[in-house]
Amino acid sequence: SGCGLGTKYQVKSLNQKVESLTQRVESQNQRIESLSEKVESLARQVADKPAVVHEDTSPPPKVEDARFTGEESQNQKIESLIKQLGERNGPSAAAELAAIGEPALPALIAALNNEYHVVRLNAVDAISQIGQPPDVVVPALAKAIKDESLWVRQHAAQALSFARGAAHDIVPILIEALNDESLEVRRSAANSLRQIGTHDAMKAVEE
């Protein structure tokens, strides 16, 4: 009958669609298998290939010389303290310069030429506290003991008693200072000679 033929036709059509879908699925599976094989092949190549290490040829990072940086910082501190010698805290600045020691001597000796006597006086005090080396300190104080300011001369006369290891150079300077026009300078020179205590020093004081 007409209904039977129609049903058979529909079943046949459905079977064809199923076969078509089955073929498409199989085709997709084949493509997936092919891709999987390619991925496995690439993975084996990567595993077998030795790693390449690129040598770093760039220059090493620059490391500042800590010693140089420290010296630079100290020089800046000395310069700052020298500027303070003429201020109210001048004696404190002189004490800090004395604590720095020998590296501060060139700046302190240069300060003996400053136009302000307070700067020169505090520089003398710092130099006397450093006290060495005598071949640097003694000539500096010998210059200061002839300063136009009696206070600078007096401090220099006192300071010379603290200069270590150079009595033979210091005594003649102090003996000459015994003739200074200022009584304060003469007294300081005499006291320093007594502290040094050598034969020539004591003889000069007794006379």
Side-chain angles (χ1 to χ4, degrees):
S1 66
C3 288
L5 290 171
T7 299
K8 288 181 179 179
Y9 177 77
Q10 288 176 355
V11 170
K12 184 178 181 181
S13 177
L14 285 171
N15 288 336
Q16 289 175 346
K17 287 182 179 179
V18 170
E19 288 178 3
S20 177
L21 287 171
T22 301
Q23 290 175 355
R24 289 173 64 184
V25 168
E26 289 178 352
S27 177
Q28 290 290 344
N29 288 338
Q30 289 175 353
R31 290 179 63 187
I32 290 171
E33 288 179 4
S34 176
L35 288 171
S36 297
E37 290 176 357
K38 289 182 179 180
V39 169
E40 290 178 2
S41 176
L42 287 171
R44 285 194 297 270
Q45 291 178 19
V46 170
D48 295 338
K49 189 176 182 180
V52 178
V53 178
H54 296 283
E55 184 179 356
D56 186 5
T57 57
S58 60
K62 185 178 180 181
V63 179
E64 291 188 5
D65 188 334
R67 180 184 60 80
F68 176 79
T69 303
E71 288 180 357
E72 189 176 54
S73 176
Q74 186 181 70
N75 289 337
Q76 291 173 348
K77 183 177 181 181
I78 291 171
E79 184 179 350
S80 174
L81 290 170
I82 289 291
K83 292 178 181 178
Q84 297 175 44
L85 289 178
E87 299 175 3
R88 185 173 296 180
N89 65 329
S92 176
E96 286 192 57
L97 286 162
I100 291 172
E102 193 172 336
L105 280 176
L108 285 166
I109 291 171
L112 294 177
N113 296 318
N114 193 280
E115 61 180 311
Y116 297 105
H117 81 277
V118 175
V119 173
R120 302 196 301 273
L121 186 150
N122 285 321
V124 165
D125 288 347
I127 292 170
S128 70
Q129 290 178 59
I130 295 171
Q132 58 183 348
D135 59 335
V136 175
V137 170
V138 173
L141 294 177
K143 175 183 178 181
I145 207 170
K146 295 180 180 180
D147 193 274
E148 63 183 24
S149 166
L150 74 89
W151 303 115
V152 175
R153 297 199 304 274
Q154 182 187 16
H155 277 243
Q158 292 172 346
L160 280 166
S161 67
F162 298 106
R164 296 182 286 276
H168 60 286
D169 294 322
I170 296 170
V171 169
I173 297 169
L174 289 170
I175 290 174
E176 185 178 352
L178 291 174
N179 297 317
D180 194 276
E181 63 184 21
S182 166
L183 176 61
E184 288 81 2
V185 176
R186 296 197 299 273
R187 282 177 176 171
S188 293
N191 287 334
S192 290
L193 286 167
R194 290 190 187 96
Q195 289 182 42
I196 293 171
T198 62
H199 174 75
D200 290 342
M202 297 306 296
K203 183 179 178 181
V205 174
E206 290 169 359
E207 292 177 353

